[in-house]
């Protein structure tokens, strides 16, 4: 049996013996910590923890590997519940066009944006996509991500959406972190269906969803509910068909306008609604008493120069919030979750405790991994971050440009050692 003891932990963060499924409202400000702690890992899972003055009651010390945290913090690895990290080619040309004054929607209207990525992806082989996405996956693991969700949505045809999902399946098999897959065929209307919306929606509901379900290629189904993309009615229709085939709904909601995406999501009990730049009282009311996790993607809002979502107002209204990267070539070309913690604190006025809850326990809920990830809990997978020696949790979002990670463990195995 593999046994690891991590000692000299300045603070063991997010320790919960009986974790709630999420933390909401005032509870988001509570982040349990144990100072001067140790953490025991057995067979890749968290076994026990305590303070350094009460040494663990390990009966058999043979084969025990000891890791000295050297006064660093130990946290559960980040859960990133929203990425598009399988893609072909970058879009810095559009980035420059936006600097010169065009908007994300202007660029999309002239055939750029998602359709630009779709053209590139259709010409890329499965092996090429797997190789480039593997590099991105390795990069985010080094940055402390211990679970990730990845969407299709740059295929926009039966063949190319399936190609993307097969790449995601290979990434899951490759590991080492859990990979959840989402069918996002309803990301945009492809050129060939520009004048036949119903035709494309029928392709999704009658052909793609059944094919994806038969091959067990996805866990979730997602729709970009937005003006010039999919209406709330179309969103509900597609997600309802997905649900019948076992795919849990998610929605890209209210990113560019008050699109009705949040209400569409709560109506079909989406596991999460993501973006939320254009959210007001009606959306907050729809989210209250729902099982839907409001997920903020501050990297995309920053990169596109969108207004910040009313995160403070949402938490003050008693809602949970989670955070994800949205790693994609068009609206956020990075999966660095540490940077997002800083954005949540600096621009959205979340406290460090709230931001860390958003990126761990609540983010695990948003990707249906609450049972195994998102907190330091006996029995959960030992996917953890050991930081360099730092003063405490507030230093993490404070030092927004620094790499503060010393080690990353996935299933108890060291995958980054500095
Ligand atoms: O989540 N909003 C829609 N989809 C992506 C962006 C995709 C793209 O521009 O390639 C997002 O921001
Ligand atoms: Fe997205």
């Amino acid at each position: 049996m593999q046994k690891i003891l991590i000692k000299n932990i300045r603070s063991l963060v997010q320790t919960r013996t009986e974790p709630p499924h999420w933390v909401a409202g005032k509870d988001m400000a509570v982040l349990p910590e144990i100072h001067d702690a140790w953490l025991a890992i057995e067979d890749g899972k968290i076994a026990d923890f305590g303070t350094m003055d009460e040494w663990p009651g390990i009966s058999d010390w043979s084969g025990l590997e000891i890791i000295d945290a050297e006064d660093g913090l130990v946290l559960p690895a980040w859960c990133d519940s929203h990425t598009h990290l399988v893609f072909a080619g970058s879009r810095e040309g559009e980035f420059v066009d936006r600097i010169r004054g065009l908007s994300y929607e202007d660029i999309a209207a002239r055939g750029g944006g998602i359709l630009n990525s779709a053209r590139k992806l259709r010409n890329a082989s499965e092996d090429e996509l797997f190789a480039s996405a593997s590099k991105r996956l390795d990069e985010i693991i080094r940055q402390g991500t211990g679970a990730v969700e990845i969407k299709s949505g740059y295929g926009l045809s039966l063949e190319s959406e399936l190609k993307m999902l097969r790449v995601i399946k290979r990434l899951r098999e490759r590991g080492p972190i859990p990979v959840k897959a989402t069918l996002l065929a309803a990301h945009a209307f492809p050129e060939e269906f520009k004048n036949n919306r119903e035709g494309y929606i029928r392709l999704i509901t009658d052909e793609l969803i059944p094919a994806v379900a038969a091959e067990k290629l996805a866990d979730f189904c997602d729709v970009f509910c937005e003006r010039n993309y999919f209406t709330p009615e179309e969103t509900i229709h597609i997600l309802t068909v997905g649900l019948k085939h076992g795919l849990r709904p998610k929605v890209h909601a209210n990113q560019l306008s008050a699109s009705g995406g949040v209400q569409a999501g709560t109506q079909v009990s989406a596991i999460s609604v993501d973006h939320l730049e254009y959210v007001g009282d009606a959306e907050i009311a729809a989210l209250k008493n729902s099982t839907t996790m409001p997920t903020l993607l501050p990297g995309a809002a920053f990169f596109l120069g969108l207004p910040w979502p009313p995160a403070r107002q949402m938490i003050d209204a008693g809602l949970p919030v989670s955070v994800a990267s949205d790693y994609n070539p068009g609206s956020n070309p990075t999966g660095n979750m540490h940077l997002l913690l800083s954005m949540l604190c600096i621009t959205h006025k979340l406290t460090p405790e709230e931001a860390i809850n958003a990126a761990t326990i609540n983010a695990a809920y948003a990707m249906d991994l609450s049972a195994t990830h998102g907190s330091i809990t006996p029995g959960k997978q030992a996917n953890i971050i050991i930081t360099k020696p730092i003063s405490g949790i507030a230093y993490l979002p404070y030092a927004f440009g620094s790499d503060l990670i010393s080690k990353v463990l996935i299933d108890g195995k060291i995958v980054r050692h500095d």
Side-chain angles (χ1 to χ4, degrees):
M1 194 203 303
Q2 178 222 32
K3 283 178 285 183
I4 298 176
L5 181 68
I6 306 178
K7 64 175 187 178
N8 296 329
I9 302 170
R10 184 181 183 91
S11 178
L12 181 62
V13 181
Q14 192 63 296
T15 47
R16 298 181 188 262
T17 37
E18 284 177 18
H21 59 278
W22 69 30
V23 289
K26 285 191 175 45
D27 291 340
M28 282 205 68
V30 180
L31 182 64
E33 283 184 77
I34 297 183
H35 298 286
D36 200 19
W38 54 265
L39 175 70
I41 295 169
E42 279 180 10
D43 278 342
K45 293 193 166 70
I46 293 165
D48 200 1
F49 50 76
T51 50
M52 287 297 288
D53 54 3
E54 309 163 58
W55 206 235
I58 296 172
S59 49
D60 177 9
W61 290 73
S62 58
L64 180 73
E65 183 187 344
I66 295 188
I67 298 174
D68 191 341
E70 294 172 339
D71 219 20
L73 312 185
V74 169
L75 303 104
W78 314 125
C79 293
D80 190 349
S81 69
H82 181 144
T83 81
H84 310 246
L85 70 68
V86 174
F87 57 84
S90 52
R91 294 195 347 228
E92 63 276 22
E94 295 178 3
F95 170 72
V96 176
D97 288 341
R98 278 197 306 280
I99 295 169
R100 298 210 166 105
L102 291 185
S103 71
Y104 182 79
E105 285 175 287
D106 295 335
I107 293 166
R110 57 175 208 193
I114 295 165
L115 296 184
N116 180 356
S117 284
R119 278 190 293 276
K120 292 186 167 116
L121 185 126
R122 286 177 180 190
N123 291 326
S125 72
E126 199 181 300
D127 285 344
E128 284 163 350
L129 292 170
F130 177 72
S132 61
S134 273
K135 285 194 191 138
R136 294 180 200 116
L137 192 58
D138 288 337
E139 184 188 23
I140 64 170
I141 293 168
R142 278 187 61 76
Q143 291 169 335
T145 294
V148 69
E149 179 260 18
I150 310 176
K151 300 174 196 296
S152 69
Y154 293 129
L156 308 183
S157 70
L158 182 66
E159 184 196 346
S160 295
E161 284 291 304
L162 291 175
K163 175 170 72 176
M164 279 191 88
L165 288 167
R166 289 187 188 119
V167 171
I168 299 170
K169 183 177 178 199
R170 281 172 66 183
L171 293 169
R172 177 188 306 147
E173 289 161 357
R174 178 214 102 128
I177 66 171
V179 173
K180 291 277 186 170
T182 300
L183 171 66
L184 175 61
H187 199 190
F189 286 91
E191 310 267 15
E192 58 277 23
F193 283 96
K194 205 163 58 187
N195 300 314
N196 181 11
R197 295 173 72 90
E198 292 75 21
Y200 186 56
I201 291 171
R202 264 200 310 278
L203 175 76
I204 296 174
T205 55
D206 299 3
E207 296 183 50
L208 245 172
I209 291 177
V212 166
E215 262 193 73
K216 292 197 178 8
L217 285 174
D219 305 287
F220 306 111
C221 185
D222 196 343
V223 178
F224 187 17
C225 183
E226 191 54 71
R227 63 185 177 207
N228 302 324
Y229 293 86
F230 293 81
T231 66
E233 294 71 30
E234 291 164 346
T235 300
I236 289 169
H237 171 59
I238 294 165
L239 293 177
T240 305
V241 174
L243 204 47
K244 285 201 187 105
H245 287 81
L247 305 178
R248 293 187 71 181
K250 278 179 168 275
V251 185
H252 277 70
N254 299 53
Q255 180 187 17
L256 308 172
S257 67
S259 63
V262 170
Q263 288 89 336
T266 55
Q267 197 175 318
V268 293
S269 299
I271 189 164
S272 74
V273 287
D274 304 18
H275 280 293
L276 313 179
E277 281 77 0
Y278 289 85
V279 154
D281 293 342
E283 286 79 11
I284 289 176
L287 286 161
K288 284 283 275 188
N289 304 317
S290 78
T291 52
T292 299
M293 175 60 72
T295 297
L296 310 174
L297 309 174
F302 168 71
F303 195 72
L304 298 183
L306 301 174
W308 307 124
R312 192 67 269 149
Q313 206 184 318
M314 291 162 72
I315 295 173
D316 293 346
L319 294 179
V321 300
S322 78
V323 65
S325 73
D326 199 17
Y327 193 170
N328 78 79
S331 68
N332 188 47
T334 170
N336 187 329
M337 292 287 286
H338 176 207
L339 206 48
L340 302 174
L341 282 191
S342 301
M343 289 188 195
L344 284 184
C345 294
I346 297 162
T347 59
H348 295 52
K349 305 296 176 203
L350 266 62
T351 64
E353 290 82 359
E354 289 171 328
I356 291 171
N357 275 322
T360 55
I361 191 165
N362 284 0
Y365 177 94
M367 57 198 300
D368 198 20
L369 283 178
S370 297
T372 49
H373 295 79
S375 62
I376 301 293
T377 300
K380 285 198 181 185
Q381 292 306 121
N383 289 15
I384 60 167
I385 296 168
I386 306 178
T387 73
K388 294 174 182 159
I390 58 174
S391 57
I393 57 158
Y395 194 85
L396 275 174
Y398 159 81
F400 76 93
S402 299
D403 179 3
L404 300 174
I405 294 180
S406 161
K407 294 179 186 59
V408 176
L409 276 69
I410 301 297
D411 298 334
K413 290 189 194 67
I414 298 182
V415 296
R416 172 177 174 181
H417 192 321
D418 280 20

